[in-house]
Amino acid sequence: MSPRIPLPPPPPPAELRSWPDRDARLADRALALDELNRRLLGGGRLALFLLWFFLLELGWGLIGVLLTSLGRSVPDPITLLIGLFTVLIGIGVLVPAVWLTVRSLRRDRIVRERLVLWAALDRHGPTDARLRAPVLSVCWLLLSFAMCGLGLWLGFAVPAGTGRDGGYGLVAYGMGVALILWITGLTGLVKAVGHYRLAVRLTGSRR
């Protein structure tokens, strides 16, 4: 397995820059911006975004096995034992998924900071135009909007549909699913809109 390619470092300070000419500086700038843009919005980053989401839902779903059984009636010992076992597995999935999600958000912040530094180094029309990544931005936007919408709908539909039947465990589980959808979708929306606004600001300010 090949080692993970490290992030492009920030551009060197002005007193340490040693590019032989502007073309060399623009070439390094283009490589750094393309790589940083890919790390923010690329297909691999989107796949990780979805993977962490599915792990969060899987972990909560395993915990929900016990919640749903407790919410309807007092479970028998075997059901309770199975529920406790699935809760332990669920926690083992959910905790790393939360950590990986937070770690990804922190890494995105570092990538965005370096992208701003490289973009401020110079200007180049074709390279700067690629920063907007309209297709990828729209993919992130639509997917995240769908998650938010589904999470919002579940947040109202689950209590209305199950609360009157006394399934309070099912309500708690459904609300957790809705919350994960809503928060994940919201982070994706903020990311997509924030990146597009940043790209427009960086490129539009140079016209």
Side-chain angles (χ1 to χ4, degrees), residues 62-126:
L62 291 170
I63 295 173
V65 172
L66 182 61
L67 288 177
T68 53
S69 62
L70 289 175
R72 293 176 180 174
S73 61
V74 179
D76 58 86
I78 295 178
T79 302
L80 182 60
L81 185 62
I82 294 174
L84 290 174
F85 180 70
T86 58
V87 164
L88 292 176
I89 299 176
I91 293 174
V93 174
L94 189 63
V95 172
V98 171
W99 180 81
L100 289 169
T101 301
V102 173
R103 181 174 177 268
S104 294
L105 293 175
R106 291 176 176 173
R107 191 173 182 85
D108 282 349
R109 184 180 62 185
I110 295 173
V111 173
R112 191 175 297 108
E113 290 172 353
R114 294 188 183 182
L115 187 144
V116 171
L117 291 174
W118 277 103
L121 186 64
D122 207 323
R123 65 181 68 181
H124 183 245

Side-chain angles (χ1 to χ4, degrees), residues 7 19 24 38 60 73 75-76 105 112 118 141 145 169 199:
L7 283 176
W19 285 290
R38 185 183 68 81
W60 181 248
S73 61
D76 58 86
L105 293 175
R112 191 175 297 108
W118 277 103
L141 187 66
F145 183 79

Side-chain angles (χ1 to χ4, degrees), residues 4-201:
R4 181 178 176 86
I5 300 174
L7 283 176
E15 63 273 11
L16 298 178
R17 293 172 187 171
S18 58
W19 285 290
D21 51 41
R22 185 169 183 260
D23 289 339
R25 182 172 69 250
L26 288 177
D28 285 350
R29 177 180 179 270
L31 288 174
L33 288 180
D34 288 344
E35 178 63 19
L36 291 169
N37 218 28
R38 185 183 68 81
R39 294 293 184 96
L40 276 177
L41 298 177
R45 183 65 185 87
L46 183 59
L48 286 177
F49 174 76
L50 293 175
L51 177 60
W52 306 153
F53 164 71
F54 285 127
L55 287 177
L56 289 170
E57 291 289 11
L58 175 61
W60 181 248
L62 291 170
I63 295 173
V65 172
L66 182 61
L67 288 177
T68 53
S69 62
L70 289 175
R72 293 176 180 174
S73 61
V74 179
D76 58 86
I78 295 178
T79 302
L80 182 60
L81 185 62
I82 294 174
L84 290 174
F85 180 70
T86 58
V87 164
L88 292 176
I89 299 176
I91 293 174
V93 174
L94 189 63
V95 172
V98 171
W99 180 81
L100 289 169
T101 301
V102 173
R103 181 174 177 268
S104 294
L105 293 175
R106 291 176 176 173
R107 191 173 182 85
D108 282 349
R109 184 180 62 185
I110 295 173
V111 173
R112 191 175 297 108
E113 290 172 353
R114 294 188 183 182
L115 187 144
V116 171
L117 291 174
W118 277 103
L121 186 64
D122 207 323
R123 65 181 68 181
H124 183 245
T127 301
D128 297 343
R130 293 197 297 270
L131 287 177
R132 300 192 182 192
V135 175
L136 287 171
S137 295
V138 169
C139 288
W140 277 88
L141 187 66
L142 292 179
L143 182 62
S144 301
F145 183 79
M147 286 182 174
C148 283
L150 182 58
L152 185 62
W153 176 78
L154 282 176
F156 288 100
V158 169
T162 59
R164 61 175 177 266
D165 299 327
Y168 298 110
L170 186 58
V171 173
Y173 168 68
M175 293 300 291
V177 171
L179 185 63
I180 292 173
L181 276 165
W182 173 254
I183 292 178
T184 305
L186 189 61
T187 59
L189 280 176
V190 171
K191 178 191 183 78
V193 174
H195 178 78
Y196 188 77
R197 291 181 62 185
L198 174 64
V200 170
R201 177 169 59 84

